[in-house]
Amino acid sequence: MASFTEEEVKAIKALRGRVKPWAEETQNKYALDYLDDATLWRFALAHKFKLDAAEHMFKTSTTYKQEWDLDKLCGDFAGEGNSDGLSSEERNQVRIGKQVFYAGIVDAKTSKGGPISAEKLGKIDFAGLSHNEEAKKACLKAYAVHTENLWRLVRETGDKTKAISIVDLDGIGMSAARYVNLIRDVTALSIPNYPEVVEKVVIIRAPTVFYIMWKVIKPFLPERTKAKVSILGRNFEEELSELVEGGIQALPTFLGGNADDSSVSPARKVEEVMTSAELDV
């Protein structure tokens, strides 16, 4: 169980007093589930215990989850699109999303016992997603599911445990700078809706072009998020080893480890996926 300072206990109690009546009035199932101390602590901490901002985030986050019906969406993706009652369009969205998506939760833990997210951002088909609305929508749904699953894992601990996110930029080129809006669409799903999930974001194999993109993206990120980012080149093994339980060997091979890569979505080309026989016609 988590231990809290007097300031944290006071903030948690005050925040609960603000959001519980709203949760009960709206019967938002996510809001009703998030009234425990550890979850409210994350919302409060994300805004340095400024309760107006924490309350606003709590309400907008749980409203977003209700509107997207994330319980169902997570179930659909877990079922590989084969869940009962899905329409052809819904099945295709899952199948497309799982193939064009570029991230996953790896079978390893941080040195503090938290989950690890890995992203093959350098392999994503930016051009394909930008020119195919159906594929882009499916990719955003896949990202929503990925982020929700990471959130659920840190909440399951019942304490202050956080994840780390490893972002591999290997393969990213100058053309990616033209698709910064796509990256902003993705971060707009995660940062405003998932407080204090990640302790550190480690960006590896960062080429020169990324620093141009970073200048564009950085102003849109909260200060707390920017402070968590560590940008590395190709000499990243030592830092990752310190962050991962069992060292870098516990990570997938594309990150320099010995584990299977299958936990991370393949980031296939959009055209290849959209013409696949796996889709319903």
Side-chain angles (χ1 to χ4, degrees):
M1 295 294 291
S3 59
F4 302 102
T5 66
E6 287 187 18
E7 179 190 14
E8 289 172 338
V9 169
K10 183 178 178 181
I12 290 166
K13 183 177 180 180
L15 182 57
R16 183 181 292 112
R18 287 173 173 232
V19 300
K20 185 177 180 180
W22 176 83
E24 292 174 341
E25 178 185 351
T26 60
Q27 284 298 293
N28 181 307
K29 62 181 179 180
Y30 301 96
L32 291 168
D33 187 44
Y34 293 173
L35 297 175
D36 60 282
D37 288 353
T39 303
L40 291 175
W41 169 80
R42 294 181 191 275
F43 282 97
L45 180 64
H47 295 282
K48 299 180 180 179
F49 303 103
K50 295 176 182 177
L51 295 182
D52 286 346
E55 178 185 356
H56 177 73
M57 185 183 196
F58 183 95
K59 291 178 178 179
T60 56
S61 169
T62 52
T63 298
Y64 148 77
K65 294 182 182 190
Q66 190 99 310
E67 290 175 349
W68 277 57
D69 197 358
L70 277 176
D71 281 350
K72 180 181 183 302
L73 195 59
C74 288
D76 292 347
F77 271 75
E80 303 286 336
N82 296 315
S83 305
D84 292 338
L86 290 185
S87 66
S88 293
E89 181 182 357
E90 288 173 324
R91 279 195 295 273
N92 284 343
Q93 282 283 286
V94 172
R95 291 168 183 172
I96 294 167
K98 290 182 77 69
Q99 293 300 310
V100 301
F101 191 47
Y102 55 91
I105 298 171
V106 305
D107 189 20
K109 296 289 185 183
T110 72
S111 56
K112 298 179 181 178
I116 299 174
S117 166
E119 301 185 14
K120 297 178 179 178
L121 191 60
K123 304 300 183 186
I124 189 172
D125 184 3
F126 285 106
L129 290 173
S130 295
H131 293 98
N132 189 303
E133 195 61 33
E134 184 179 5
K136 177 183 174 181
K137 182 179 178 182
C139 187
L140 289 175
K141 285 185 176 181
Y143 190 83
V145 168
H146 171 73
T147 314
E148 177 68 16
N149 286 335
L150 196 64
W151 164 256
R152 292 179 181 187
L153 286 173
V154 297
R155 284 194 68 227
E156 281 176 9
T157 66
D159 57 25
K160 297 179 177 180
T161 298
K162 298 181 186 180
I164 63 169
S165 179
I166 305 169
V167 182
D168 182 12
L169 297 184
D170 188 39
I172 203 165
M174 287 294 294
S175 62
R178 299 200 298 266
Y179 305 110
V180 170
N181 286 342
L182 181 59
I183 298 175
R184 284 210 297 258
D185 288 344
V186 169
T187 57
L189 287 179
S190 58
I191 293 173
N193 296 309
Y194 294 95
E196 297 300 317
V197 175
V198 174
E199 180 177 17
K200 193 174 186 65
V201 178
V202 183
I203 299 173
I204 64 171
R205 301 186 179 111
T208 303
V209 65
F210 174 73
Y211 294 91
I212 299 172
M213 296 172 66
W214 181 240
K215 287 181 181 179
V216 178
I217 299 167
K218 195 174 180 180
F220 295 92
L221 302 178
E223 288 300 323
R224 286 186 63 83
T225 301
K226 286 185 280 192
K228 297 175 182 179
V229 176
S230 175
I231 303 175
L232 306 176
R234 294 191 172 272
N235 298 318
F236 55 84
E237 290 85 355
E238 184 176 350
E239 181 162 341
L240 284 190
S241 289
E242 293 175 357
L243 294 171
V244 178
E245 185 180 281
I248 199 169
Q249 293 81 7
L251 294 175
T253 55
F254 79 94
L255 295 176
N258 299 324
D260 195 329
D261 287 350
S262 61
S263 59
V264 180
S265 293
R268 290 172 61 192
K269 293 291 185 182
V270 169
E271 183 177 3
E272 176 187 334
V273 173
M274 299 305 291
T275 56
S276 170
E278 299 170 6
L279 301 183
D280 290 350
V281 178

